[in-house]
Amino acid sequence: MDKRFNVGVGEKMRPMNDSPPAKGGFTLDSDCRLAPGFEAVGDAFTANFEDGLDIGAAFVVTLDGAVVIDLWGGHIDQARSAPVRSDTLFAIWSATKGATATCIALLVERGALDYEEPVATYWPAFAANGKGRITLAQLLSHQAGLCGVRTPITMQHYYRHDGLADLLAQETPFFEPGTAWGYHALSLGILADELIRRVDGRTASRFFAEEFAQPFGLDMFMGLPDAARARLAQTIVPDGDRQMSLPSIPNAAAFAAAFQNPSIDAGYANDPAWQAAGIPAGGMTANARGLARLYAILANDGKLDGSAPLSRATIAAASRQRIEGVDQVTGNNRRHAAGFHLNEQGWMGPNDDAFGHAGWGGSIGFADPRSRLSVGYTVNRMRVAGPGRIDERIERLVAAVYAAIARM
């Protein structure tokens, strides 16, 4: 741990009840912690509630693998009937993709997969209809053109996996692979899960649990167990905006496959069937501590708690830019690595090589290897920032974090 922060692994940070109550009636839980110098981050977190932006949330930051910020507050539901606790779980939507990408990275580390190898090497049927040259890296960076399928399906197909994996293997791409990218909103999870099953034998859910969640104590689930259900916060859906709002749709057929076959409703996050399925592209439940610790591995050359599951070289390959441009599905402009978003407009701080993944409505996890910093932010009130804009909540939190670091 960098001695500038005066907090090492196992040392206690300053308890929040040493500070005066926040203005506006919102007070952080007395067990929340901030390392010296990060007091303004607590103010920013509080401001999100005072400004009516958050209802329930948690925010965690690590530096050199040690937690320096651990905040939570608000309520687990719209009725504000119970408080968020330190172990409250949240639906994180597509922030799930970062966890799945990390699983793939571990298989690359072990030599079971190769980012530059065609997907069909591991899954021969995938080569159908002109897909034989699509590499693993292209697939993970949404360049395969498999945003969904043309055959009418229901959400049950995503829950069952097998039949949908077969349909995707036989599908014709919605655009020429490798020439553009189009967001594989849920299909990416099925595709990655199938590859994990083929080269490892375990499902993505079991692989993540056994290789990351259990060894590193990550409170993250691809498939919510019954024993954890009581800790899950209600997802609060935006009024009148239960489906994805988009600036434009460059490829109408790809959009329909990604978001309308079947229709993706924000209310699914409160459905036990969705929670139990844990689709590896958008169905994970987690807390901010788990997200921050997962990305701490990626921010610290693959090392955490004395273990080193990933090498610096594999992390560099996983986080290298693979595509940049306009999303054929949503019309947004993005930079993508092998399963991760890359930093843009400072939404992951000032360093361009920061990477991670955001989720619909506001949750995000990311790693900044240059600063050896990781972030986890989980929310229950879904908000949509609008085309080309950053969610104000995470923007002010991240700005406060890096401003504090700059002063040290």
Side-chain angles (χ1 to χ4, degrees):
M1 178 64 199
D2 192 321
K3 294 304 180 184
R4 289 175 297 166
F5 305 105
N6 300 314
V7 179
V9 177
E11 296 180 34
K12 290 187 177 181
M13 293 177 283
R14 183 177 63 78
M16 290 306 301
N17 58 4
D18 285 356
S19 298
K23 297 178 181 179
F26 178 85
T27 304
L28 286 165
D29 190 294
S30 62
D31 289 330
C32 290
R33 295 290 188 268
L34 286 170
F38 288 97
E39 291 81 4
V41 181
D43 295 337
F45 186 78
T46 295
N48 282 342
F49 288 91
E50 292 181 341
D51 292 346
L53 302 178
D54 266 332
I55 292 176
F59 184 64
V60 175
V61 175
T62 77
L63 280 163
D64 295 313
V67 174
V68 293
I69 298 169
D70 188 3
L71 304 175
W72 63 89
H75 295 86
I76 64 168
D77 57 358
Q78 192 162 24
R80 293 170 168 81
S81 65
V84 168
R85 304 292 187 186
S86 62
D87 65 347
T88 295
L89 298 168
F90 297 81
I92 63 170
W93 291 99
S94 282
T96 305
K97 291 182 175 71
T100 301
T102 307
C103 292
I104 295 291
L106 183 56
L107 289 168
V108 170
E109 177 76 28
R110 293 174 175 173
L113 291 171
D114 187 321
Y115 287 124
E116 313 312 323
E117 193 71 19
V119 173
T121 299
Y122 316 104
W123 185 3
F126 183 87
N129 291 310
K131 303 193 300 299
R133 298 177 64 183
I134 297 172
T135 66
L136 175 60
Q138 288 174 328
L139 176 70
L140 294 173
S141 55
H142 305 269
Q143 297 183 66
L146 294 176
C147 310
V149 296
R150 292 173 175 83
T151 302
I153 60 173
T154 69
M155 193 55 67
Q156 292 300 318
H157 287 82
Y158 276 100
Y159 297 164
R160 290 193 295 264
H161 177 87
D162 290 336
L164 184 51
D166 292 340
L167 286 174
L168 286 164
Q170 296 300 315
E171 188 59 80
T172 299
F174 286 88
F175 53 83
E176 184 179 350
T179 65
W181 76 279
Y183 195 49
H184 293 40
L186 292 183
S187 60
L188 188 69
I190 301 297
L191 294 162
D193 195 354
E194 182 67 18
L195 283 169
I196 293 170
R197 295 176 189 214
R198 285 177 175 269
V199 302
D200 181 81
R202 289 174 284 182
T203 64
S205 173
R206 183 180 164 197
F207 187 92
F208 180 80
E210 294 178 354
E211 299 288 351
F212 290 104
Q214 293 167 12
F216 294 99
L218 310 181
D219 217 0
M220 303 175 69
F221 304 96
M222 282 186 195
L224 184 67
D226 289 341
R229 190 168 302 281
R231 296 193 285 125
L232 180 62
Q234 174 194 26
T235 293
I236 300 168
V237 178
D239 292 338
D241 189 19
R242 298 183 66 88
Q243 297 181 336
M244 191 69 69
S245 296
L246 303 171
S248 62
I249 303 173
N251 187 322
F255 168 80
F259 291 113
Q260 296 180 328
N261 184 31
S263 179
I264 302 176
D265 189 303
Y268 283 153
N270 295 318
D271 182 348
W274 169 276
Q275 297 159 7
I279 299 169
M284 180 172 263
T285 51
N287 59 24
R289 287 176 179 170
L291 271 173
R293 280 181 55 78
L294 175 66
Y295 280 102
I297 299 171
L298 300 169
N300 292 277
D301 298 330
K303 303 171 186 176
L304 187 67
D305 296 347
S307 297
L310 296 169
S311 66
R312 180 184 298 183
T314 296
I315 294 171
S319 60
R320 177 167 65 83
Q321 181 172 309
R322 305 287 179 164
I323 190 72
E324 179 179 15
V326 175
D327 180 359
Q328 296 301 298
V329 171
T330 70
N332 290 314
N333 194 86
R334 291 283 187 271
R335 300 166 60 223
H336 274 283
F340 298 103
H341 283 149
L342 292 173
N343 195 14
E344 297 176 84
Q345 304 178 62
W347 67 323
M348 300 181 199
N351 297 325
D352 288 342
D353 50 357
F355 64 95
H357 216 292
W360 187 18
S363 294
I364 188 172
F366 72 83
D368 177 355
R370 195 181 309 182
S371 299
R372 301 179 71 82
L373 175 150
S374 72
V375 165
Y377 177 54
T378 51
V379 299
N380 63 353
R381 183 188 180 192
M382 294 180 66
R383 297 184 72 245
V384 179
R389 298 189 61 188
I390 306 168
D391 190 316
E392 180 182 354
R393 297 172 294 180
I394 190 64
E395 183 178 26
R396 66 170 29 152
L397 287 167
V398 170
V401 169
Y402 281 93
I405 292 173
R407 290 192 295 269
M408 293 176 178

